[in-house]
Amino acid sequence: MGVTAGGFTAECDCPAPEELCGHAVALAVAALEDGFAWSSQATPPSAVEVDPKIAELTELAYTIPARRLASLLAEWAADDRVLESRLLAYAGRLAPPTDAELAAVRRSIDNLAHEATAGDRWDLHDVEKAGRAIVEEVRVLVQRPASPEALLVVERAARAWDGLAGYLNDAWEVYEDEPAEIGGALRAAHIQLCEQLQPDPDELVARLIEIIEAAEVDSCLDEPWDYLGVLGRDRVKALRRR
């Protein structure tokens, strides 16, 4: 369901010939009763570009009986923490993280960052491995209902990676893509939470400046235009100037 200047618009997989089918009407009524904030800037599913491979596999998935498909998904989710958390999120089974859970994630991130270069026998593979493990912790966290405390944990993860990425940047002949890939994943998670929480933009700018200036080389959050939807054009321009 969506809303435009001309009224409601809808897309549904059901075969009803009219645009506003019963499913669309029921959804609109439920949203209105719940005080849902409609946006004229939302992107309808038909306008979203879908990777051809994903589209092909989606069509294939439709041919598999639901029970077998559910069993296959469960097998993968049992060995993949991110997929498991996404499955629980889709099922509405995840509550906001507790203080104890957030503390555990912070400890995990700190330990991963510390152990990556601890002792005399570490190498660059340990740094890359730690970065990907930090990304996994963050991706699991952002499946939970968003909270300001979770946003700060993601910023902590960004700071941790900023402190490690320089090692891989120095070995760019071997690790050309990994720093940007890991940093981009952390930035995407940060932006996702920012879009959900809509924090005070001036406070967010201040924290971003602090994180960016604290980085020894480049911060993974130093991509101001990626925050356009949260900060607005003027603040993004100001952040770029800083």
Side-chain angles (χ1 to χ4, degrees):
M1 284 296 302
V3 62
T4 68
F8 287 109
T9 181
E11 293 180 7
C12 186
D13 291 333
C14 80
E18 63 273 9
E19 181 182 12
L20 292 180
C21 64
H23 304 107
V25 173
L27 181 60
V29 170
L32 291 169
E33 290 178 346
D34 198 39
F36 184 80
W38 296 85
S39 171
S40 61
Q41 300 179 0
T43 303
S46 61
V48 176
E49 293 186 9
V50 179
D51 184 284
K53 186 67 173 181
I54 294 177
E56 177 185 350
L57 292 174
T58 299
E59 291 300 318
L60 177 62
Y62 275 124
T63 68
I64 301 175
R67 185 177 293 275
R68 294 187 64 184
L69 187 62
S71 177
L72 177 63
L73 178 59
E75 289 176 11
W76 279 96
D79 295 323
D80 186 325
R81 291 179 61 215
V82 178
L83 180 56
E84 179 186 8
S85 62
R86 292 189 68 183
L87 180 60
L88 291 169
Y90 276 119
R93 299 281 296 275
L94 289 180
T98 64
D99 291 343
E101 289 171 328
L102 289 170
V105 177
R106 286 193 293 268
R107 285 195 301 270
S108 179
I109 291 170
D110 292 346
N111 290 338
L112 287 166
H114 171 72
E115 293 170 3
T117 57
D120 300 325
R121 301 178 63 85
W122 67 273
D123 58 28
L124 293 178
H125 174 69
D126 296 322
V127 175
E128 179 196 2
K129 185 178 178 181
R132 297 193 184 280
I134 290 172
V135 168
E136 180 178 274
E137 292 291 339
V138 167
R139 282 179 168 166
V140 170
L141 177 62
V142 298
Q143 301 305 320
R144 309 286 289 267
S147 69
E149 294 76 17
L151 181 62
L152 294 178
V153 171
V154 175
E155 291 174 4
R156 189 188 192 100
R159 290 175 184 269
W161 178 243
D162 288 346
L164 294 174
Y167 295 105
L168 299 188
N169 288 329
D170 290 340
W172 60 268
E173 303 93 337
V174 180
Y175 294 94
E176 181 179 3
D177 301 322
E178 287 79 1
E181 179 185 343
I182 294 170
L186 293 173
R187 185 171 63 256
H190 186 249
I191 293 171
Q192 176 183 332
L193 286 184
C194 287
E195 290 176 341
Q196 293 173 354
L197 293 168
Q198 292 295 312
D200 180 274
D202 292 323
E203 292 181 4
L204 178 59
V205 166
R207 294 209 307 274
L208 285 172
I209 290 174
E210 181 184 354
I211 293 170
I212 291 168
E213 292 181 346
E216 293 185 8
V217 187
D218 295 323
S219 172
C220 63
L221 301 187
D222 192 8
E223 291 290 343
W225 284 111
D226 287 359
Y227 290 85
L228 180 61
V230 180
L231 298 178
R233 187 173 298 274
D234 291 341
R235 290 186 181 87
V236 166
K237 289 181 177 179
L239 185 58
R240 289 191 68 200
R241 288 194 295 269
R242 291 292 295 268

